Amino acid sequence: MTENIFNDRPRKNEKQESIDYVKSLIEQARTDARDSDIPKLEKLIQLLNSKKYGLVWEEHAEKVEEEMKTKIPVFVEDESKKINDKSDSEDFNFLLEGDNLHSLHLLEKTYAGKIDVIYIDPPYNTRNSDFKYNDTFVDKEDSFIHSKWLSFMERRLSIAKNLLSKQGVIFVSIDDFEIANLRTLMDDIFGNNLISQFIWETDGNFDNMAKIKNKHEYILMYAKEINNLGYPIGIAPDIKLNSKVFNNEIRNTVVKNGVKNPPSKIIIPKGFPAEIDNGIIPKPKPKKGIYPDFKSDIVIENNAVKYDFEIESGWSSASMLKKFISNGFQSIVDSKGLETSFVITSTGTPYIIKKRVDSTHVTSVIRNVGTTQSASKMLENLNLDFDYPKPTGLVSYLVKMYSKKNSTILDFFAGSGTTGQAVMELNLEDEGNRKFILATNNENNIAEEITYERMKRISTGTEKYEAHPLNLKYFKTDFVVKEEFPDVSLEYELLKYVTPLVELEFGIDITNPKVQIVLNEEQLESLIDNKQLIGKSTIFMHPDVFRDDKQNQILQDLQIRVQEIPNYFFSVEMWQK
């Protein structure tokens, strides 16, 4: 039996076959004494061998894409992983487990033109076994290392563009290894819609032996349609500061006593260090309702807050103060793009100092938004461990730059789930209602044991992290094999998987009694006959369901909104039998 070997270089011989064919024509021309044809044919060979302007690579195929010709990806909910902790909201976020090409394929059915912000942190292809293609890590000696990575990225970025709304933007993190290729690729996909190539000032790698220490990465930002963008939401007018902030009682000093291994820089008032005892800042007595009412002391050890401290609710900048401390007492950027730091007076009253990072523009160099080290510390506070996480401060800074408070955020290289946490913290900071969709594979159980667990612990909180309640549904990728369902039976089989797509598209939970899905006339009749319809609810109805006048009147009397399920989700797969 001949083994069916997958060919991931379907175009590897096309060029050579064309050249060989032209060469045979040249030989035939010589045989036929058609000398005038020979220079023209030789010119064709020259053109075939020449490079075009722009990015040229040998396209590689992927098994996951090839499989979709015979296997239709579908979502199945893992109900055991549903999080429903935000009782005052019926909206849901989503975590999608599976190859992100399959997830993107299904998102095209539900979110085409609806995503406001995409942030991704893809494999950097650093030749250190960080990029896997067709189930195998790409070796640093592979002569097609760039071609495979570009083929991998091109398919996903092309779908990403389709998902963005007209005002949507995408951010892509990358480093020196592929920045040139990625930018050229994105120019090809997104056209003349580059907004910026940001430089993110990271903590850098100071453990290697290199003479030059890299302290930066890049973030490419493209728009779906740059002419549809307004001014960045993050740009805001200067804030006039309370004059008390600048009076002579406040000084910037360095803590010298009482704190074990203090940060290199801390903003704290003159005379206050003398009150510090063994790294404990005594509980202040602020004016309740105006300044934070601390319920516990702040313990600083090894350059960071040792334990999460409690603040009475109602103070809008409480989360900002916590970010400021966890960032090593370095300034952070708030939801309006303002550089924010804190001072504490000798009476224990905290004041906020805000200043513009730049008076008229978002700067192309991103600083003071956290580091890999601070991100790792954050995961430790959630009792999790993950290599090279991105800081929530970075993702928050990017998301709020061009998003509104009700935006939908997508990350299809979700990794440890930084984007989900950043969205939740940003919502708390500015009372927003943003929703997120995270997609990741489950290699080494990352989706279940890291991404999901992070969302769960963010929602419930830990001893070192304040709870940020959220609602989330967990979908896994499954497949319907076409050949197992001939003719109309395929349609009936696919109907079983419509519910997750409806939930995904509208951000709902079908177990909510105010939401129902009706796929056929029999279901509708049963709901009416058994008096199971709920007033002022929503029914998501298949477009082929016929309703008579009596049924329409019942729905109208109960003030039930009928939302037609979009054009059949699996219509393309049905046509491509």
Side-chain angles (χ1 to χ4, degrees):
M1 181 175 179
T2 304
E3 183 179 358
N4 185 17
I5 300 175
F6 179 72
N7 176 21
D8 72 350
R9 292 180 59 201
R11 289 173 175 79
K12 65 179 180 178
N13 293 322
E14 288 180 357
K15 178 178 174 181
Q16 189 58 49
E17 288 174 355
S18 298
I19 291 173
D20 291 341
Y21 176 68
V22 176
K23 285 181 178 179
S24 70
L25 294 180
I26 291 175
E27 292 301 318
Q28 188 63 44
R30 289 196 177 103
T31 301
D32 297 341
R34 290 184 284 108
D35 295 342
S36 61
D37 288 349
I38 294 175
K40 298 175 184 177
L41 294 169
E42 288 177 340
K43 182 64 176 179
L44 280 176
I45 291 178
Q46 182 182 347
L47 290 172
L48 285 168
N49 277 315
S50 65
K51 289 185 177 180
K52 295 180 292 184
Y53 175 76
L55 188 62
V56 179
W57 80 92
E58 182 173 330
E59 185 178 349
H60 283 61
E62 281 189 77
K63 289 181 179 179
V64 292
E65 187 173 35
E66 186 72 16
E67 287 173 350
M68 282 194 285
K69 295 177 181 178
T70 57
K71 297 164 61 178
I72 302 173
V74 293
F75 282 136
V76 177
E77 181 179 2
D78 184 342
E79 296 182 4
S80 69
K81 290 184 172 59
K82 182 166 74 173
I83 301 173
N84 197 4
D85 295 333
K86 193 170 176 60
S87 57
D88 60 344
S89 174
E90 295 180 356
D91 294 333
F92 274 76
N93 305 286
F94 293 87
L95 173 54
L96 313 177
E97 178 198 312
D99 190 284
N100 60 12
L101 192 60
H102 292 145
S103 294
L104 288 169
H105 172 75
L106 290 169
L107 284 171
E108 266 196 302
K109 300 175 181 297
T110 56
Y111 271 93
K114 297 179 181 179
I115 300 293
D116 301 294
V117 177
I118 296 175
Y119 170 76
I120 57 172
D121 182 22
Y124 281 11
N125 202 23
T126 59
R127 302 157 183 78
N128 291 321
S129 297
D130 68 320
F131 170 49
K132 182 176 284 190
Y133 193 78
N134 287 336
D135 302 325
T136 303
F137 282 112
V138 179
D139 187 83
K140 62 182 178 180
E141 303 300 329
D142 191 327
S143 59
F144 295 99
I145 187 170
H146 293 290
S147 293
K148 291 179 179 179
W149 188 83
L150 285 167
S151 297
F152 175 84
M153 292 298 296
E154 189 274 335
R155 291 171 177 82
R156 289 155 178 80
L157 290 172
S158 294
I159 298 177
K161 180 185 178 183
N162 294 337
L163 296 177
L164 286 175
S165 66
K166 290 184 177 180
Q167 296 80 33
V169 295
I170 181 171
F171 298 92
V172 185
S173 285
I174 202 68
D175 70 1
D176 287 305
F177 286 103
E178 293 288 3
I179 178 61
N181 286 333
L182 178 61
R183 178 161 175 176
T184 309
L185 175 65
M186 294 189 73
D187 283 343
D188 185 52
I189 294 172
F190 288 88
N192 191 28
N193 287 296
L194 173 70
I195 297 176
S196 182
Q197 179 173 308
F198 290 104
I199 298 173
W200 171 40
E201 188 176 289
T202 67
D203 44 337
N205 180 7
F206 290 91
D207 296 327
N208 60 33
M209 301 300 292
K211 294 294 183 183
I212 298 176
K213 309 294 185 183
N214 278 345
K215 291 189 62 179
H216 71 276
E217 291 182 11
Y218 303 96
I219 299 168
L220 291 178
M221 179 183 184
Y222 282 77
K224 173 71 170 284
E225 298 177 13
I226 199 167
N227 293 331
N228 283 319
L229 294 181
Y231 292 102
I233 303 276
I235 295 295
D238 288 321
I239 290 180
K240 294 182 179 180
L241 303 175
N242 189 322
S243 61
K244 290 182 180 180
V245 173
F246 299 105
N247 67 31
N248 292 330
E249 294 180 0
I250 297 176
R251 297 284 190 276
N252 290 344
T253 64
V254 177
V255 176
K256 296 180 180 179
N257 301 305
V259 180
K260 180 181 178 182
N261 299 322
S264 60
K265 182 180 181 181
I266 183 172
I267 301 176
I268 205 163
K270 181 180 179 180
F272 195 76
E275 301 179 41
I276 294 180
D277 181 23
N278 294 325
I280 299 178
I281 299 178
K283 178 180 178 181
K285 298 178 180 180
K287 300 174 183 178
K288 189 172 183 179
I290 301 176
Y291 303 108
D293 183 7
F294 292 92
K295 295 172 66 176
S296 60
D297 295 330
I298 304 174
V299 182
I300 302 170
E301 184 176 293
N302 296 328
N303 303 333
V305 177
K306 187 174 182 181
Y307 304 111
D308 190 25
F309 55 90
E310 296 183 65
I311 301 177
E312 292 283 5
S313 61
W315 191 59
S316 62
S317 294
S319 61
M320 293 294 292
L321 175 58
K322 290 187 177 184
K323 289 182 181 179
F324 171 73
I325 294 173
S326 65
N327 196 40
F329 297 90
Q330 303 296 308
S331 58
I332 53 179
V333 180
D334 74 359
S335 62
K336 295 182 179 179
L338 299 177
E339 192 172 283
T340 305
S341 55
F342 294 81
V343 296
I344 305 176
T345 67
S346 58
T347 62
T349 302
Y351 281 95
I352 306 173
I353 296 178
K354 293 177 179 282
K355 66 179 182 179
R356 295 198 56 79
V357 177
D358 185 279
S359 59
T360 56
H361 301 281
V362 173
T363 60
S364 61
V365 179
I366 300 175
R367 298 186 176 95
N368 303 319
V369 293
T371 65
T372 299
Q373 278 84 346
S374 66
S376 296
K377 180 66 178 177
M378 171 59 72
L379 285 177
E380 288 179 16
N381 291 339
L382 295 169
N383 302 315
L384 295 169
D385 180 47
F386 186 78
D387 292 335
Y388 309 115
K390 287 293 187 291
T392 55
L394 171 65
V395 180
S396 294
Y397 178 79
L398 298 175
V399 167
K400 65 194 173 192
M401 192 183 299
Y402 269 95
S403 74
K404 298 178 182 179
K405 291 185 179 182
N406 60 347
S407 295
T408 301
I409 320 299
L410 169 65
D411 183 348
F412 54 88
F413 285 98
S416 67
T418 297
T419 298
Q421 181 174 349
V423 169
M424 295 306 301
E425 292 181 353
L426 189 54
N427 281 343
L428 181 66
E429 180 183 317
D430 65 8
E431 298 181 348
N433 189 36
R434 301 170 186 83
K435 293 183 288 186
F436 64 81
I437 301 171
L438 307 180
T440 182
N441 61 34
N442 198 33
E443 185 176 332
N444 298 321
N445 297 321
I446 181 176
E448 295 179 300
E449 297 180 2
I450 302 295
T451 322
Y452 169 74
E453 282 298 326
R454 184 175 188 173
M455 297 304 102
K456 184 178 178 180
R457 296 174 197 186
I458 287 167
S459 186
T460 59
T462 68
E463 68 277 8
K464 297 182 181 180
Y465 185 82
E466 181 183 2
H468 293 58
L470 61 88
N471 297 333
L472 178 138
K473 294 177 80 73
Y474 189 111
F475 289 169
K476 293 184 176 182
T477 302
D478 201 351
F479 298 93
V480 172
V481 181
K482 285 187 177 183
E483 64 180 17
E484 294 179 2
F485 300 94
D487 304 320
V488 72
S489 65
L490 178 60
E491 179 177 357
Y492 294 142
E493 180 65 20
L494 290 174
L495 276 173
K496 299 176 182 178
Y497 302 97
V498 167
T499 296
L501 294 183
V502 172
E503 290 182 311
L504 180 61
E505 176 162 357
F506 297 98
I508 60 170
D509 177 21
I510 196 60
T511 63
N512 182 342
K514 292 183 179 180
V515 177
Q516 292 174 309
I517 292 180
V518 173
L519 300 177
N520 52 58
E521 283 89 354
E522 290 76 15
Q523 277 185 280
L524 180 60
E525 291 172 3
S526 175
L527 289 172
I528 293 174
D529 293 343
N530 295 313
K531 302 186 183 307
Q532 293 177 324
L533 292 176
I534 298 175
K536 297 182 180 180
S537 63
T538 300
I539 292 180
F540 293 88
M541 195 169 296
H542 192 285
D544 292 342
V545 174
F546 173 77
R547 305 191 302 273
D548 59 31
D549 292 340
K550 181 180 178 181
Q551 291 172 331
N552 282 329
Q553 188 62 50
I554 292 173
L555 296 174
Q556 183 177 336
D557 292 343
L558 290 172
Q559 300 181 50
I560 293 176
R561 183 172 70 96
V562 176
Q563 173 71 56
E564 185 175 291
I565 296 173
N567 290 332
Y568 196 68
F569 285 122
F570 295 105
S571 59
V572 174
E573 287 84 357
M574 292 293 295
W575 298 332
Q576 296 176 345
K577 290 187 179 180

